[in-house]
Amino acid sequence: MAQNKLLKMALIVLAFLGMLSIAGCEEFNRRTFQFLHGTYEVPTPYITPVAHGTFHLLITPFPHGTPVFNKDRCLTLAGDTYLIKLRVQYRLFEVLRGTTGEADREDMPPIIDEMREIHGKIRALEPPSDCEILVVLRYHIEAEIDQTIRALVVFRNVEPEETMMDYFNEALFHKTVVQELFKRISQ
């Protein structure tokens, strides 16, 4: 009888200690991964300064908000060429983003580097100066890529999941805006 009570008390104490050490194990796991595989830094300039769902998400390059799509100014030869190149690079990014679901943490650096290359190609494109909506579209595409890269780096470095989700949520916001702008332009 006394032995059963002592065993039950010991199990309760062990369970309590196990629950206390879970947070320590997560930190230990992160440190071990970083020691074995190193951290991965992304030294690219980002458009959006932080995630965490702040109001800066609504900022566009134009203080008066998203400009109206003007077919006469935007659907010129320069505008069409720019839009085609932008769509191709964005589609490459979407395909690459789709491969991250099956990738391990160790496999992330080459994927992130490819995303950075796509980001650089998009940044190198010069939108027609008289079509403001294409400037806004590029801004949101770059912001989506930026935040996706940040989220993948956080995932790769085994940092807190809340931070990763903040970056993914911001990327999702920009993705929604990009889809809406593409739809508005193609109508």
Side-chain angles (χ1 to χ4, degrees):
M1 229 24 171
Q3 223 175 10
N4 283 342
K5 284 188 178 188
L6 185 61
L7 184 60
K8 286 181 184 179
M9 293 283 286
L11 288 176
I12 290 173
V13 169
L14 284 174
F16 179 71
L17 290 175
M19 289 174 28
L20 286 177
S21 69
I22 288 175
C25 289
E26 186 176 311
E27 181 67 18
F28 177 74
N29 180 29
R30 184 170 73 81
R31 296 283 182 191
T32 303
F33 183 86
Q34 289 178 352
F35 176 72
L36 293 175
H37 303 284
T39 58
Y40 190 75
E41 301 295 326
V42 182
T44 56
Y46 290 98
I47 295 174
T48 50
V50 291
H52 307 295
T54 56
F55 293 111
H56 75 278
L57 292 176
L58 303 175
I59 295 173
T60 67
F62 299 99
H64 59 279
T66 304
V68 178
F69 177 62
N70 185 336
K71 288 185 179 184
D72 295 333
R73 287 191 292 161
C74 295
L75 295 182
T76 61
L77 182 60
D80 286 343
T81 304
Y82 173 80
L83 191 57
I84 289 169
K85 289 179 181 179
L86 191 65
R87 281 183 193 243
V88 166
Q89 292 302 319
Y90 185 68
R91 183 66 186 134
L92 289 172
F93 165 72
E94 286 180 321
V95 169
L96 194 57
R97 184 181 57 212
T99 64
T100 60
E102 300 90 35
D104 291 330
R105 292 182 200 276
E106 300 86 20
D107 300 334
M108 285 295 157
I111 295 171
I112 294 170
D113 288 340
E114 285 184 56
M115 285 184 178
R116 288 179 63 220
E117 285 179 28
I118 292 171
H119 182 269
K121 289 177 183 176
I122 289 174
R123 183 165 265 179
L125 293 174
E126 284 296 322
S129 59
D130 54 347
C131 184
E132 293 178 336
I133 199 163
L134 293 180
V135 175
V136 172
L137 178 64
R138 184 177 89 172
Y139 170 83
H140 284 289
I141 287 174
E142 284 187 64
E144 179 186 353
I145 294 172
D146 290 341
Q147 297 309 321
T148 303
I149 290 172
R150 284 180 174 215
L152 293 174
V153 168
V154 166
F155 171 74
R156 162 65 175 79
N157 292 341
V158 195
E159 293 179 23
E161 189 173 335
E162 300 86 39
T163 307
M164 179 182 69
M165 290 312 297
D166 283 343
Y167 290 133
F168 272 134
N169 286 337
E170 187 171 343
L172 183 63
F173 166 79
H174 289 292
K175 178 183 178 182
T176 305
V177 173
V178 166
Q179 298 304 323
E180 191 235 295
L181 289 173
F182 273 137
K183 190 186 311 178
R184 191 184 309 176
I185 291 171
S186 65
Q187 289 178 348

